[in-house]
Amino acid sequence: MRFVVSALFLFVLFSHTDAYDPLDPNGNVTIKWDIVSWTPDGYVAVVTMNNFQMYRHIMSPGWTLGWTWAKKEVIWSMNGAQTTEQGDCSKFKGNVPHCCKKTPTVVDLLPGVPYNQQFTNCCKGGVVPAWGQDPQGAVSAFQVSVGSAGTSNKTVKLPKNFTLLGPGPGYTCGPAKVVPSTTFLTPDRRRKTQALMTWNVTCTYSQFLARKNPNCCVSFSSFYNETITPCPTCSCGCQNKNNCVKDSSKILKMKGLNTPRKDNAPLLQCTHHMCPVRVHWHVKLNYKDYWRVKVSITNFNYRMNYTVWSLVVQHPNLNSVTQVFSFDYKPLLPYESISEYPEFFFSVFSRCIIRYHVTMLFGHAYADDTGMFYGMKFYNDLLMEAGPFGNVQSEVLLRKDKDTFTFKQGWAFPRKVYFNGDECMLPPPDTYPFLPNSAHQQYLFSIFTLIATMVFLLLTLC
Ligand SMILES: *[C@@H]1O[C@H](CO)[C@@H](O)[C@H](O)[C@H]1NC(C)=O
Ligand SMILES: *[C@@H]1O[C@H](CO)[C@@H](O)[C@H](O)[C@H]1NC(C)=O
Ligand SMILES: *[C@@H]1O[C@H](CO)[C@@H](O)[C@H](O)[C@H]1NC(C)=O
Ligand SMILES: *[C@@H]1O[C@H](CO)[C@@H](O)[C@H](O)[C@H]1NC(C)=O
Ligand SMILES: *[C@@H]1O[C@H](CO)[C@@H](O)[C@H](O)[C@H]1NC(C)=O
Ligand SMILES: *[C@@H]1O[C@H](CO)[C@@H](O)[C@H](O)[C@H]1NC(C)=O
């Protein structure tokens, strides 16, 4: 009976959490406006964007931030960013504003702009690394001087309707909220100053909003079975005559083929999966106390260099990673990081109810089965465009956990894989390479994997 209740509970819970990322429950991008001075007709604000997502960075060609002014505000000037259009400034004589649009669209500047246009943490072409990958670098900022605005904290009106592209769709931003003013340390670190007023906007990501198809797929192989389990056909779309090029095609010799397009449209190599990225997991070696996996990532898009890419993998044995060759590795511990925040008591509480129900059903729970792999700086943090250099690879040495380790039932393959923050399509469980003589377990196995996928999803919550 308890089993049935727990199963029901989990089912009901899961039919209601769509945009929630169990591997990064607090992940968000926060945009903070600090008013640093009042001017005769408005204010000067420092706008800081923090990428608090563990493993999803804002990649090239970078972020685009938009909002709607509450009144008839204009932007006199900007440092460290610019608007894409000036709009109609015809009613201004002499000194003309930088932008008069009701809904300005702001982009970062490129590296190397003149010094007098720069600002601290600006000018990275809009690329913002993930918090888990580079906490110091996960920030972008600019300064804006606003006119025709309120000139005190009672008369200023907060901008509305924030939109963030990072670089494509996927983010939803909440309303701006006044928060306690930020305090800054002076450069000599001996005095604290305070913003005159501060407001925050929080944006969260949903893969469903970003695209209707996955962006990557996973294939498997092993030393104990010759079968290579390919990516599922049409994982990211189906092939037709016009949407891809064969790797033998003459077009590939044309100059300028790799130049990214304005709309960021990919140029894909023809494959049966039509994914821009494939992740391959090969179970390579078996030692007495250890086992070894080879991971490779292949780029099939001729128009994309992935800079600071990340790969998140969920597998129960990742709690015993012993050595990672030629990638950087960092465990993701959503459960522990949550418990640092007292305001998350409630959600921790509800997670623990989930944990209780999961434990009821399956006996034990994992919290540390997820890790992030990423490239080493200046070595392989660039996944080059499709072609001879369009791949990166690494090997991972894992210590066997005596209680759970097995090559049976596809246990050695990951439960979930994310490339650059988007979940990858896995092959169906009944096609995994099997340990010889375990074919009769296939039926059981597919049920097992179905349940296991659900469980591992849950277990990361608590
Ligand atoms: C955004 O993320 C940060 C860091 O994880 C967290 O402290 C904050 O509460 C989050 N904000 C919201 C509104 O979820
Ligand atoms: C506002 O955003 C900043 C990061 O930009 C964050 O450090 C701060 O905690 C946020 N404040 C609130 C009250 O959410
Ligand atoms: C506005 O500023 C006054 C004094 O400068 C301060 O006392 C008050 O708390 C501020 N109000 C808000 C909403 O920040
Ligand atoms: C918010 O912005 C979006 C995109 O810029 C626009 O389509 C929408 O109409 C705006 N909504 C409001 C209430 O201004
Ligand atoms: C990728 O980077 C290489 C080396 O920096 C460059 O030659 C190539 O044009 C880039 N390709 C794209 C699609 O940006
Ligand atoms: C290898 O795995 C495939 C796919 O699951 C399976 O059909 C086949 O029987 C396995 N080979 C052996 C020798 O067990």
Side-chain angles (χ1 to χ4, degrees), residues 302-314:
Y302 291 102
R303 287 206 197 111
M304 179 65 125
N305 280 330
Y306 290 97
T307 49
V308 288
W309 56 267
S310 72
L311 182 74
V312 169
V313 175
Q314 190 174 25

Side-chain angles (χ1 to χ4, degrees), residues 295-330:
V295 181
S296 11
I297 311 174
T298 311
N299 186 357
F300 292 99
N301 184 355
Y302 291 102
R303 287 206 197 111
M304 179 65 125
N305 280 330
Y306 290 97
T307 49
V308 288
W309 56 267
S310 72
L311 182 74
V312 169
V313 175
Q314 190 174 25
H315 185 282
N317 214 169
L318 282 185
N319 57 2
S320 310
V321 167
T322 305
Q323 199 176 355
V324 176
F325 303 85
S326 68
F327 284 172
D328 280 329
Y329 177 75
K330 185 184 272 184

Side-chain angles (χ1 to χ4, degrees), residues 47-285:
V47 181
T48 312
M49 184 188 294
N50 283 95
N51 182 4
F52 287 128
Q53 300 181 100
M54 284 309 288
Y55 54 80
R56 185 175 300 107
H57 66 277
I58 296 177
M59 58 182 174
S60 183
W63 54 262
T64 304
L65 181 66
W67 63 83
T68 307
W69 288 119
K71 298 193 289 189
K72 297 210 174 327
E73 288 89 338
V74 294
I75 297 174
W76 280 116
S77 63
M78 281 184 122
N79 273 342
Q82 64 183 3
T83 60
T84 55
E85 282 178 75
Q86 184 179 30
D88 178 9
C89 292
S90 58
K91 65 176 194 185
F92 289 87
K93 306 259 167 2
N95 207 358
V96 177
H98 174 79
C99 175
C100 302
K101 291 196 67 151
K102 176 95 176 155
T103 55
T105 303
V106 177
V107 293
D108 195 7
L109 300 176
L110 296 174
V113 294
Y115 189 73
N116 63 359
Q117 295 174 23
Q118 293 185 14
F119 192 72
T120 322
N121 290 320
C122 85
C123 315
K124 306 195 255 190
V127 174
V128 191
W131 178 257
Q133 208 163 333
D134 182 1
Q136 274 88 43
V139 57
S140 194
F142 59 88
Q143 192 180 50
V144 59
S145 169
V146 182
S148 308
T151 52
S152 79
N153 66 6
K154 305 229 162 44
T155 53
V156 79
K157 288 273 183 303
L158 311 191
K160 291 190 196 129
N161 197 14
F162 277 86
T163 53
L164 175 67
L165 300 177
Y171 288 93
T172 316
C173 300
K177 284 203 181 104
V178 175
V179 298
S181 297
T182 313
T183 51
F184 302 95
L185 272 180
T186 53
D188 62 5
R189 313 193 124 264
R190 295 177 57 188
R191 200 176 108 82
K192 269 190 189 162
T193 57
Q194 194 173 333
L196 302 170
M197 187 178 181
T198 302
W199 60 80
N200 271 12
V201 179
T202 304
C203 306
T204 50
Y205 183 84
S206 155
Q207 191 173 345
F208 299 106
L209 291 178
R211 55 178 66 86
K212 65 176 200 296
N213 289 325
N215 212 19
C216 61
C217 64
V218 187
S219 56
F220 293 145
S221 60
S222 66
F223 67 85
Y224 52 75
N225 182 323
E226 288 175 357
T227 308
I228 296 173
T229 305
C231 279
T233 300
C234 295
S235 290
C236 307
C238 292
Q239 186 181 331
N240 65 39
K241 265 192 233 124
N242 308 319
N243 65 0
C244 62
V245 288
K246 297 216 163 62
D247 56 2
S248 57
S249 167
K250 282 191 213 113
I251 298 174
L252 295 180
K253 299 217 168 64
M254 268 164 54
K255 270 228 170 95
L257 171 95
N258 300 117
T259 314
R261 288 238 305 247
K262 261 229 170 80
D263 60 358
N264 233 7
L267 181 65
L268 293 181
Q269 187 176 317
C270 293
T271 53
H272 69 279
H273 54 74
M274 286 299 283
C275 290
V277 170
R278 182 188 64 202
V279 178
H280 186 77
W281 179 276
H282 175 65
V283 179
K284 188 177 175 186
L285 281 169

Side-chain angles (χ1 to χ4, degrees), residues 343-387:
E343 68 265 32
F344 276 105
F345 268 151
F346 177 74
S347 52
V348 169
F349 179 67
S350 57
R351 263 147 239 233
C352 288
I353 298 180
I354 299 170
R355 191 185 179 89
Y356 168 79
H357 284 276
V358 169
T359 316
M360 246 11 274
L361 267 175
F362 307 105
H364 62 291
Y366 303 101
D368 50 359
D369 59 350
T370 310
M372 171 166 68
F373 299 88
Y374 50 104
M376 291 178 174
K377 260 203 174 120
F378 308 118
Y379 175 56
N380 56 6
D381 60 341
L382 170 69
L383 172 57
M384 285 272 275
E385 67 207 18

